[in-house]
Amino acid sequence: MRRIFAIVVVAGLLLVGLFVLADPTFRYPHIGVQLSRPLAKLAGRDPVTIQVSLDTGTELISEENLSDEPSVQDTFALLMILSEEVQPQAESASVLYKVEEMQSEGWAWKQARLNKLQARTQIFERDLPAPLQITVPEQSELAESDVWTPFVVMMWPKLPSGFQKAGRASWNDQFSYQEKNPMGGDPINVNCQLLYRLENFQNTNYGIYANIQVLGTLSPASGQDPKFDVNGTFKGFCLLDPETGRVSGGEYRFEQRILVRQPNLPVARTTTYQGVRFWRPNFHQGMGAVAPQAVAPGSTATPNQ
């Protein structure tokens, strides 16, 4: 009888242990997780809201005055609802973003008819997305790769292989994009070296998410003309579903300075400050984020046509 009782107790403990281990609210924070992005599970269309603020300016300045506060001439603010359509293929998936609706301060969207903008990329199970292809009727500061590439990189971050524990796991990668030459001519190629860190896990109304912190530094791509200097920082986070690899929300801050030095001439400096917040509508409601309708007075809502 005692043996049967002991067997029942052990079996009960094993069942309790298996139940606890199956619970992600316990397993992820205390044991760890293997992050994955099974592309077949991501098929379909989903809305994403993106809030963008962009300040930029170009000036001619002496070498001695480079420490002065940069000058900003152009300021943009946009709130867009995008459709994100994922079409899985053999070893990757095609992702297409289209602007469905827009709210803009100062009608900034008119400069490039951004309600017609499309951005397409390829995503992979663990790697960063392929270089972005942007289609827009007219060019604008808000239709450049330095605005859209960081957004797509944050939506589909690099995922490490193996078992990861919060507060300990970190990994590296980099992405590249093209920036306009302040003096005209060929574009400038820029690299952003990234450091990822699995900070913690967050419980929400829609499940438990991995909070991934991202830090980046900007530099000119190798082989770039030495008269060009690029520096800056990239900081942000994203909340990622560990089971699907889908990001449901996040934000980042992007600061960039491009310097052009030529003999016997002032230094041309272009400075860009970019702040972006993004979320899937249901997720933002569960997290109590700022509602999409809460834009500045006098803004204009423009549906895609």
Side-chain angles (χ1 to χ4, degrees), residues 21-22 34 58 82 86 97 166 175 177 206 219 223 225 230 245 274 302:
L21 290 176
Q34 185 165 0
T58 298
L82 309 177
V86 180
Y97 290 97
F175 69 91
Y177 60 94
Y206 300 95
S219 62
D225 190 327
V230 182
Q274 181 181 324
T302 305

Coordinates of all heavy atoms in Angstrom, one line a residue, residues 21-22 34 58 82 86 97 166 175 177 206 219 223 225 230 245 274 302:
L21 N 6.1 23.4 -16.2 CA 7.0 23.6 -17.3 C 6.3 24.0 -18.6 O 6.9 24.7 -19.5 CB 7.8 22.3 -17.6 CG 8.8 22.0 -16.5 CD1 9.5 20.7 -16.8 CD2 9.9 23.1 -16.3
A22 N 5.0 23.5 -18.8 CA 4.3 23.9 -20.0 C 3.7 25.3 -20.0 O 3.3 25.8 -21.0 CB 3.2 22.9 -20.2
Q34 N 13.5 29.3 -26.7 CA 14.2 29.2 -28.0 C 13.3 30.0 -28.9 O 12.2 29.6 -29.3 CB 14.3 27.8 -28.5 CG 15.1 27.7 -29.8 CD 15.6 26.3 -30.1 OE1 15.3 25.4 -29.3 NE2 16.2 26.1 -31.2
T58 N 20.2 70.6 -43.0 CA 21.6 70.7 -43.5 C 22.1 72.1 -43.4 O 21.4 73.1 -43.5 CB 21.5 70.3 -45.0 OG1 21.0 68.9 -45.2 CG2 22.9 70.4 -45.6
L82 N -0.8 50.7 -41.6 CA -0.3 50.0 -42.7 C -1.0 48.6 -42.8 O -1.4 48.1 -41.8 CB 1.2 49.7 -42.6 CG 2.1 51.0 -42.3 CD1 3.5 50.5 -42.1 CD2 2.0 52.0 -43.4
V86 N 1.9 39.0 -45.6 CA 3.0 38.0 -45.6 C 2.6 36.8 -46.4 O 1.6 36.2 -46.2 CB 3.3 37.5 -44.1 CG1 4.5 36.5 -44.1 CG2 3.7 38.7 -43.2
Y97 N 4.1 46.1 -47.4 CA 3.5 47.1 -46.6 C 2.8 48.1 -47.5 O 3.5 48.6 -48.5 CB 4.4 47.8 -45.7 CG 4.9 46.9 -44.6 CD1 6.2 46.2 -44.7 CD2 4.2 46.7 -43.4 CE1 6.6 45.4 -43.6 CE2 4.7 45.9 -42.4 CZ 5.9 45.3 -42.5 OH 6.3 44.4 -41.5
A166 N 16.5 35.3 -20.2 CA 16.3 36.8 -20.1 C 17.4 37.3 -19.2 O 17.8 36.7 -18.2 CB 14.9 37.1 -19.5
F175 N 22.7 46.0 -40.3 CA 22.0 46.3 -41.6 C 22.6 47.5 -42.2 O 23.3 48.3 -41.6 CB 20.5 46.4 -41.3 CG 20.1 47.7 -40.5 CD1 19.8 48.9 -41.2 CD2 20.0 47.7 -39.2 CE1 19.4 50.0 -40.5 CE2 19.6 48.8 -38.5 CZ 19.3 50.0 -39.2
Y177 N 21.9 50.7 -45.3 CA 20.9 51.5 -46.1 C 21.7 52.6 -46.8 O 22.9 52.9 -46.6 CB 19.8 52.1 -45.2 CG 20.3 53.0 -44.1 CD1 20.4 54.4 -44.3 CD2 20.8 52.5 -42.9 CE1 20.9 55.2 -43.3 CE2 21.3 53.3 -41.9 CZ 21.3 54.7 -42.1 OH 21.8 55.5 -41.1
Y206 N -2.7 39.5 -24.4 CA -2.6 38.7 -25.6 C -1.4 37.6 -25.5 O -1.0 37.1 -26.5 CB -2.4 39.6 -26.8 CG -3.5 40.5 -27.0 CD1 -3.4 41.8 -26.5 CD2 -4.7 40.1 -27.6 CE1 -4.5 42.7 -26.7 CE2 -5.7 41.0 -27.8 CZ -5.7 42.3 -27.3 OH -6.7 43.1 -27.5
S219 N 28.0 54.0 -39.0 CA 29.3 54.3 -39.5 C 29.2 54.2 -41.1 O 28.3 53.6 -41.6 CB 30.3 53.3 -39.0 OG 30.0 52.0 -39.4
G223 N 34.9 51.2 -47.9 CA 35.1 51.6 -49.3 C 34.5 52.9 -49.6 O 34.6 53.4 -50.7
D225 N 34.0 56.9 -49.8 CA 34.9 58.1 -49.9 C 35.2 58.7 -48.6 O 34.3 59.0 -47.8 CB 34.2 59.1 -50.8 CG 35.2 60.2 -51.2 OD1 36.1 60.6 -50.5 OD2 35.0 60.8 -52.3
V230 N 30.0 59.5 -41.3 CA 28.7 59.2 -40.7 C 28.8 58.7 -39.3 O 29.6 57.8 -39.0 CB 27.9 58.2 -41.6 CG1 26.5 58.0 -41.1 CG2 27.9 58.6 -43.0
G245 N 7.6 34.6 -33.6 CA 8.6 35.6 -34.1 C 7.9 36.8 -34.6 O 8.6 37.7 -35.2
Q274 N 15.0 60.9 -35.7 CA 13.8 60.1 -36.1 C 13.3 59.3 -34.9 O 14.0 58.6 -34.3 CB 14.2 59.2 -37.2 CG 13.0 58.4 -37.7 CD 13.5 57.4 -38.9 OE1 14.3 57.8 -39.7 NE2 12.9 56.2 -38.9
T302 N -6.4 61.0 -43.7 CA -6.5 60.8 -45.1 C -6.5 59.3 -45.4 O -5.5 58.6 -45.3 CB -5.3 61.4 -45.9 OG1 -5.2 62.8 -45.5 CG2 -5.5 61.2 -47.4

